[in-house]
Amino acid sequence: AKRQGKNRYCLYNAEMAQSQLRKMELEKDLRKALVQQEFEIYYQPKWHAALNKLVGMEALLRWNHPTLGLISPTEFIPIAEETGFIVPITHWLIKEVCEQNKEWQEKKVMNIPVSINMSARVFESQTLHAKLEEALKESGLEPRYLELEITESIALNDKENTIQQLKELQALGVRISMDDFGTGYSSLGYLDEMPINILKIDQSFIQNSSKPTKQAIIGTIISMANHLNIDVVAEGVETKEQNDFLQSTGCQIMQGYYYGKPMPVHLIGDWMEQIYQ
Ligand code: C2E
Ligand code: CA
Ligand code: CA
Ligand code: CA
């Protein structure tokens, strides 16, 4: 038994060392990824179920690593946040998204807001307002076509300062969306304090939405948002059943595989042809 225990300990250590090594490698390579143009922006549609039309897109970052292949943001975003690389990456993202969205408008492909995910680090850097203003000005995109998705963790360090920044961004005309709603500890209190225009119900509620408790929570979130004059988006909608339940509860804007996965720009035309057919 003693020997077995020792072996297990070794195995555990080897695995730890492996994932530690991979993390160090990614951290090193992340440094060069921006200049080497290894990032790609995928876009996932937000669909209005009653109006039956596209009402928004979310920008989701992808990393095409030269040797390791496509790396998930769930793996590299935390590393980018720890190292601070997320700040220049987000600045780049803002510029790209503004240019892309302006191009879609000019080519009459679509006329919708595009959202970008924000990390706490970006707020800490106090650069957001200047970078957004610059990107909007240079691209000629109107601010109402840009949205920022934040989570509760955004304001853990300096809440007052973050709220102040959010208000200034809203004053620019940019809309603020609360992501992953319902998963944090202080969701309800946050709605009162934070300047929020849109609320995204977390996938974990949607994907178990046949359970009565989840249904009750979803219903409560939607009616509360309606009272507060906040738009609601359901995340992770995968089935017709989920879609129909959400609609019957008063939520109209859906995001999820049921309507469309995140996709690279060159595939969006095909997706639109197929969904509007
Ligand atoms: P998120 O912001 O909550 O984004 C939603 C995630 O759910 C995306 O994963 C999306 O591909 C996935 N998803 C969408 N619909 C469905 C569905 O119907 N079923 C299932 N199972 N999944 C669905 P993704 O693209 O891997 O991104 C993961 C997370 O990484 C994001 O979660 C976000 O927190 C972070 N992230 C991605 N891009 C960025 C970025 O540019 N900046 C920052 N700061 N974070 C990012
Ligand atoms: Ca998001
Ligand atoms: Ca989310
Ligand atoms: Ca998330």
Side-chain angles (χ1 to χ4, degrees), residues 86-95 98 115-137 146-151 154 161-170 172 174-177:
I86 193 67
V87 178
I89 292 172
T90 305
H91 293 164
W92 171 82
L93 204 61
I94 290 169
K95 191 169 175 286
C98 287
S115 64
I116 305 177
N117 291 284
M118 287 295 138
S119 300
R121 277 285 192 128
V122 181
F123 283 87
E124 283 162 19
S125 76
Q126 311 283 339
T127 54
L128 205 44
H129 190 277
K131 287 292 172 183
L132 280 172
E133 222 174 15
E134 183 186 300
L136 289 166
K137 195 171 158 221
L146 194 63
E147 255 170 48
L148 304 182
E149 298 197 5
I150 62 167
T151 59
I154 212 101
N161 179 269
T162 305
I163 291 174
Q164 185 53 37
Q165 288 189 61
L166 288 173
K167 284 184 175 157
E168 286 168 13
L169 299 174
Q170 276 182 329
L172 269 183
V174 172
R175 302 220 302 164
I176 310 294
S177 176

Side-chain angles (χ1 to χ4, degrees), residues 45-57 108-112 259 263 268-277:
K46 296 174 189 170
W47 189 263
H48 196 293
L51 300 177
N52 216 18
K53 67 170 193 185
L54 182 69
V55 289
M57 286 278 194
K108 309 220 182 302
V109 178
M110 54 180 113
N111 221 315
I112 47 152
Y259 289 104
M263 53 201 146
I268 291 176
D270 289 349
W271 173 82
M272 286 183 80
E273 259 175 42
Q274 171 237 314
I275 197 145
Y276 280 120
Q277 74 182 355

Side-chain angles (χ1 to χ4, degrees), residues 10 16 157 276:
C10 289
M16 289 265 291
N157 288 337
Y276 280 120

Side-chain angles (χ1 to χ4, degrees), residues 44 58-62 72-74 77 81 86 93 117-119 149 179-180 203 207 235-238 255-258 262:
Q44 186 180 32
E58 175 175 2
L60 291 157
L61 199 58
R62 299 290 180 263
S72 162
T74 53
I77 293 284
E81 288 176 339
I86 193 67
L93 204 61
N117 291 284
M118 287 295 138
S119 300
E149 298 197 5
D179 205 354
D180 301 344
Q203 330 198 344
Q207 279 156 14
E235 287 195 279
V237 181
E238 291 182 353
Q255 191 181 359
Y257 296 171
Y258 181 60

